[in-house]
Structure formats: C-alpha cells, structure tokens
Amino acid sequence: MSTEEQRLAPLRDKIDALDAKILDLLSQRAQAAQEVGHVKGGFASPIFRPERERQVVAKLQEINQGPLLPDGIAAIWREVMSACRALEARQTIAYLGPVGTFSEQAAQTYFGQSIAGLPCVSIDEVFKAVEKGAAQFGVVPVENSSEGAISRTLDLLLDAPVQISGEVVLPIRHHLLTKSGSLDGVTTVCAHAQALAQCQQWLSEHAPQLKRQAVSSNAEAARMAAADPTLAAIAGEPAQIAYSLQAVASQIQDDPHNRTRFVVIGNYVCQATGNDQTSLVLSVDNQPGAVHRLLAPLAKHGVSMNRFESRPARKGTWEYHFFIDVAGHADEEKVAKALTELQDTAAFYKKLGSYPRSSI
Ligand SMILES: O=C(O)C(=O)C[C@]1(C(=O)O)C=C[C@@H](O)C=C1
C-alpha cells in the first residue's frame, strides 16, 4: 500500500462510518415523510409543498457551520426531499421534450431527480397534460434574456385554467455538437429557433458555411444529429449526454450571461414564503393615460414591479394584454390592497399565481 493510500485509509474509514450514520438518519427521515404522506392522503391534500421545502433549506442554511456552502446544502436537500416526496407519491412532471432539453433540466433542478418525467412535443401539450391531470405539474420556458418572452407560453397562460406555482432560472450554455466531434461532412446545423438566434453571431463568424434549420427543440436537434452525420446540433449538456454526441465547440451562445426563465404550472396555490412574486395579466380600454392609471395602485401601496410585458391581444375587445410580475405574495396586505384596486381599474384581470422567487 502506497504512502498516500496509508494516509487515506483511516480518513475513508471515518467517512464510511459517518455515511452509515447519515443513511440511518436519512432512512428515519424518509419514514417520517411517509407518515406525512399518509396524513396528507387522509385529507386528499397535495404532496408537493414548495413553501415547506424552502423553509427546510432556509433553516439548514441558517444553522450551517460549514464547510458545506449554502448552494451545496440546497442541492443536497433538494434531492433528499425529492426522494422523500417520491415515497409519499411520485410526482409526474410534464416538460417540453424530448429528453435532454433545458426544460427537462429545469424540471429536475426544481423537483429533483426522483420524479416521473413526461416529455411533451410542444408547450401546448405540457399545458394539456397538467389540465387533464396526466401530470401534477408542468415546466415551460417563459422568457430568455437574449430573445425575450416565449410568446406561446404567454398566450397559453392567458386562457389556461392553471396556476403558476414556481419559477426556475437556468443559465443556458449552448454547445455545437456532432456524432464525430468535427464539422467534416456536416452541411446543416439544427436547433430550436431561439437557440439559433442566441448563437447567430458565433455561427456567422465560425461556421458560416452551415445551413441553419429550426426544429421543435434543441434535444430534437441532438436526436437528429445522432442519426445523421451531415447534421450538427446546438444543444446543452443534458442532450449531449442523452444522445452521445461530441462537442465541436462549447458555450457558443453570443451572450455569456444567457439564461432562460421557466415557470412551473399546476393547480397548487402556494402559501407565502417571504420571498415571493405574483404574476398577473391585465388589459385596459385604449384611452390616453389608461396604462398609467392602471399601474397607479402599485406605486400607491409600495409594490415593486419586476416585469412588464405587453402582447397584442389576439382576440376580444382589447388591443393589448399586459403580463406583469410584482414583488410579494397576493396574501401580503399591501399586495392584496394593490391587486384589489388593479382589478377594479382593469378591463381584464387574471392572477396567474403567487410563488417563491427562483433561488438562482
Ligand atoms: O412536510 C411535508 O409536507 C412533506 O411532505 C415532507 C417533505 C420533506 O421531505 O421535507 C417532502 C415533500 C414536500 O414537498 C415537503 C416536505
């Protein structure tokens, strides 16, 4: 045994002994979670409680003496609670598929790995899966830092009978992938239209010879590139792994801070956590100063606006719908007062949900 091995052996023995204790405690925790699940079953109440999961992590981060970092604690307990939640009842989570998409990564980032993933061919299908009860929750992209709002998601949120129960913000790292790891013989690069737009400068500078073909998702592009040596794909690491592709170039997005925000849709109304956001859709009659008057209650009651997005109204009597995110939970007094006055002023008003802010 080498000198290094001699010095590592007792430390590894110590780790093994500690791991055994941790496993015993985790097993006790899992049994307690199962009992929680039985209680919930008696009341037919929801298994997933995001506000409780935030509370669990926040308490541990508060008492943490190190050396684990807060993000490490959050990641560990996300998986601990994901596994415990699955013992209560495995949650089916719909997302824009196929496997390997950023939407799948967002679903796993939010719910952990212990979920039943339901890849859907379109954002519409994610909404349908949640509405018909085929999935408890859905994860859909709502805006990208480079390309702006995902209009289909906004249009579906307008009419769908679902709540926004959470949000996830993912850094988006696009890679140029092929089966061989080179561009020899490659004529076309495939990707979702958003990804092609987010990498257009890099493609023009480094691969202007490639034809650009938009497809339903980056993971679908990866699946195609895995089957056709004349194709390259722009996709993330999950798709690269899922379809055994090699990187020709990594992180080719034009904006190094490129990120996409996803919303979690479901029928669950989150309780306040102290770090929440409320999303709304509003419309006003087309009169001078109408939008200013519409938003006046927010300033009056000291409610901050985090986002304001206008969309042409595709039907009905109004010209625009305004998608607005405000800081705070709808149950907070100042937010509740502002929303009541907004509702009285607006020609159209829909509360999409109050939910915990993304921790990223
Ligand atoms: O406390 C609960 O409601 C539980 O179901 C337990 C638990 C956990 O593992 O701590 C698991 C799932 C919930 O989303 C929240 C917390």
Side-chain angles (χ1 to χ4, degrees):
M1 184 184 288
S2 69
T3 305
E4 183 198 40
E5 288 295 321
Q6 288 172 358
R7 295 182 61 183
L8 288 177
L11 294 172
R12 286 173 173 168
D13 290 344
K14 181 177 180 181
I15 287 173
D16 289 346
L18 288 168
D19 280 348
K21 291 180 179 176
I22 292 168
L23 177 59
D24 179 59
L25 290 171
L26 284 174
S27 298
Q28 293 178 49
R29 187 192 196 281
Q31 288 164 358
Q34 286 179 310
E35 293 172 38
V36 168
H38 294 148
V39 170
K40 290 178 178 175
F43 294 90
S45 60
I47 296 298
F48 181 53
R49 304 293 179 89
E51 63 279 348
R52 170 59 184 162
E53 296 200 6
R54 287 295 174 96
Q55 183 187 51
V56 168
V57 170
K59 282 183 176 179
L60 292 168
Q61 289 173 333
E62 188 176 339
I63 63 175
N64 176 34
Q65 299 295 311
L68 283 175
L69 297 175
D71 286 353
I73 289 173
I76 292 167
W77 260 267
R78 177 178 60 232
E79 293 308 328
V80 168
M81 290 189 281
S82 183
C84 287
R85 199 191 313 133
L87 291 175
E88 297 181 50
R90 187 170 289 270
Q91 303 288 287
T92 299
I93 311 300
Y95 63 86
L96 179 61
V99 293
T101 58
F102 286 115
S103 292
E104 182 189 44
Q105 187 181 345
Q108 292 174 344
T109 300
Y110 190 79
F111 291 97
Q113 298 287 328
S114 302
I115 57 174
L118 180 59
C120 297
V121 295
S122 66
I123 291 172
D124 295 60
E125 289 305 312
V126 176
F127 275 79
K128 286 176 187 170
V130 173
E131 290 171 40
K132 68 184 181 183
Q136 281 76 41
F137 295 94
V139 177
V140 291
V142 69
E143 65 180 320
N144 173 265
S145 55
S146 304
E147 302 307 309
I150 311 294
S151 52
R152 189 58 189 153
T153 298
L154 298 184
D155 291 343
L156 289 166
L157 284 170
L158 185 63
D159 298 320
V162 297
Q163 288 280 320
I164 296 179
S165 307
E167 67 169 1
V168 190
V169 176
L170 275 193
I172 299 299
R173 300 183 180 93
H174 290 308
H175 310 312
L176 184 64
L177 307 170
T178 61
K179 191 74 178 170
S180 65
S182 81
L183 288 180
D184 294 346
V186 174
T187 61
T188 307
V189 56
C190 302
H192 189 278
Q194 285 258 334
L196 288 171
Q198 293 161 18
C199 304
Q200 60 183 326
Q201 183 179 332
W202 189 96
L203 290 171
S204 298
E205 289 176 14
H206 301 281
Q209 76 282 11
L210 296 183
K211 286 183 294 184
R212 304 177 194 183
Q213 180 182 338
V215 295
S216 59
S217 71
N218 295 340
E220 175 60 13
R223 186 194 64 76
M224 294 165 64
D228 183 342
T230 69
L231 299 180
I234 295 175
E237 188 176 359
Q240 178 180 358
I241 295 168
Y243 296 100
S244 304
L245 297 174
Q246 305 302 316
V248 176
S250 297
Q251 303 218 33
I252 65 169
Q253 68 275 4
D254 297 329
D255 173 5
H257 305 295
N258 186 16
R259 62 197 180 285
T260 293
R261 176 170 167 251
F262 299 81
V263 288
V264 178
I265 58 172
N267 298 303
Y268 181 74
V269 178
C270 295
Q271 296 173 18
T273 66
N275 182 27
D276 305 300
Q277 175 167 271
T278 298
S279 295
L280 312 164
V281 188
L282 307 170
S283 286
V284 289
D285 295 326
N286 186 15
Q287 302 293 334
V291 176
H292 174 73
R293 287 192 295 276
L294 174 73
L295 301 179
L298 297 178
K300 174 183 173 184
H301 295 286
V303 176
S304 302
M305 184 162 58
N306 297 335
R307 180 167 158 266
F308 181 94
E309 182 83 34
S310 66
R311 287 273 305 149
R314 300 156 61 99
K315 57 185 178 181
T317 60
W318 304 286
E319 286 197 32
Y320 288 92
H321 287 120
F322 304 111
F323 291 80
I324 299 173
D325 294 340
V326 299
H329 191 285
D331 290 347
E332 295 172 29
E333 184 179 359
K334 67 178 184 178
V335 177
K337 286 179 178 175
L339 295 189
T340 299
E341 293 179 24
L342 270 176
Q343 195 165 0
D344 294 343
T345 310
F348 172 84
Y349 173 95
K350 179 179 181 182
K351 180 160 73 79
L352 299 175
S354 290
Y355 48 90
R357 291 303 316 264
S358 171
S359 52
I360 297 177

